[in-house]
Amino acid sequence: MNYNKIAEKLDTAALNAKAIPQISLERKLNLEEAYAVQSILLARRYIRNEKLTGLKLGFTSKAKMEQMGVHDMIWGRLTDEMCYHNGASLPRDKFIHPRAEPEIAFLIKKRIDKILDHSDLEEYIQGVAVAIEIIDSRYENFKFSLEDVIADNCSSSGYAIGNWMPVTTNLYDINIQLKQGSEIIQEGNSNAILGNPLDSLAAVSRLALESGEIIDNGHIVLAGAATPAVFIEKNQHIQAVAEGLGSVSLNVV
Ligand code: OOG
Ligand code: MG
């Protein structure tokens, strides 16, 4: 199977909401090859007129790595097709086996041309918000190797973002919850994200520079979940809440 064929399989699985066997069962990719497949997969979306809206990090917390049995950070791309408004309806049938996770999002105000550190926040970051990420692995049983999930654009399939807040908001040691109706179904702390979610900006800017990907003005960055992700079903009201950042919700229909 060449890269194009793998990308086509993954793309078709997403379009038809039908899972496929893990690529690694048939063809072992290394990390570089897996990112090459991801690029081709995204090119297929761009041809359909989807626009890149930003990048996401994955497995930035121990909770997520343990849940999925992987050992390293990954990054993927977000497009406008994946974007849902706060409070919007999320059509369950568009996905295979969707899971929700609470995230911290950043809004970029200047094209990133260096590895960011905390002193660059004011210059490069417009705002911070709480977000819900919807992940939907294209692989059967949501099972994959690190290379498999990278090729599959890190399971990216949807996101919703709450109100943008000024970046001066403290992001260290804040409580993050995922709720279903009034029930808290996951709870974590922002420090679970690389020690401090601001450090995800250093990580994503380094990874983007290394790979030649541009993080531009108006793009968003998802820092990675602080808690394990939870399967979602029709008729659920899903909400993410982060201390000091408010909340964001989706209605699964
Ligand atoms: C991969 C995506 C991981 C995160 O926040 O850690 C991710 C997956 O778990 O399917 O988005
Ligand atoms: Mg995530």
Side-chain angles (χ1 to χ4, degrees), residues 33-239:
E33 292 174 315
Y35 280 110
V37 172
Q38 187 191 121
S39 289
I40 299 171
L41 183 60
L42 267 289
R44 296 177 67 94
R45 286 181 176 261
Y46 302 150
I47 287 168
R48 291 197 292 271
N49 220 13
E50 288 182 40
K51 304 274 179 284
L52 182 74
T53 53
L55 302 185
K56 64 167 262 186
L57 288 174
F59 307 137
T60 47
S61 68
K62 274 215 178 65
K64 277 288 301 186
M65 284 196 212
E66 274 167 20
Q67 180 184 33
M68 305 318 293
V70 296
H71 56 274
D72 210 355
M73 193 162 54
I74 57 177
W75 67 276
R77 282 116 164 158
L78 304 169
T79 72
D80 56 351
E81 212 264 334
M82 303 175 192
C83 179
Y84 291 83
H85 293 292
N86 187 356
S89 298
L90 182 86
R92 162 71 183 85
D93 293 343
K94 213 181 140 198
F95 305 98
I96 303 166
H97 36 207
R99 282 172 153 163
E101 52 189 22
E103 297 244 359
I104 302 285
F106 295 99
L107 180 61
I108 308 302
K109 74 171 170 201
K110 178 178 170 187
R111 180 186 284 224
I112 298 179
D113 49 9
K114 58 181 282 200
I115 298 175
L116 300 188
D117 65 39
H118 292 209
S119 66
D120 297 315
L121 288 182
E122 214 171 301
E123 193 178 344
Y124 288 87
I125 309 300
Q126 182 78 45
V128 57
V130 61
I132 297 174
E133 187 184 356
I134 305 298
I135 51 173
D136 190 36
S137 175
R138 269 52 68 158
Y139 299 117
E140 289 165 358
N141 305 315
F142 229 111
K143 262 196 84 199
F144 42 70
S145 68
L146 202 56
E147 293 79 10
D148 285 330
V149 68
I150 290 166
D152 183 25
N153 194 24
C154 307
S155 311
S156 308
S157 62
Y159 64 87
I161 297 179
N163 291 335
W164 293 111
M165 306 283 177
V167 260
T168 46
T169 310
N170 173 42
L171 296 179
Y172 184 73
D173 197 20
I174 63 172
N175 179 268
I176 303 177
Q177 295 175 344
L178 187 69
K179 292 170 87 173
Q180 184 203 307
S182 57
E183 190 192 346
I184 299 169
I185 50 174
Q186 286 291 346
E187 188 160 28
N189 184 286
S190 64
N191 294 356
I193 307 165
L194 297 173
N196 182 340
L198 289 176
D199 290 330
S200 67
L201 291 168
V204 81
S205 53
R206 178 178 55 77
L207 293 166
L209 286 174
E210 278 168 13
S211 66
E213 187 77 14
I214 287 165
I215 309 179
D216 221 338
N217 170 29
H219 279 172
I220 65 157
V221 167
L222 292 182
T227 73
V230 178
F231 285 115
I232 53 175
E233 291 303 338
K234 279 186 190 188
N235 302 319
Q236 288 179 340
H237 177 75
I238 301 293
Q239 190 182 32

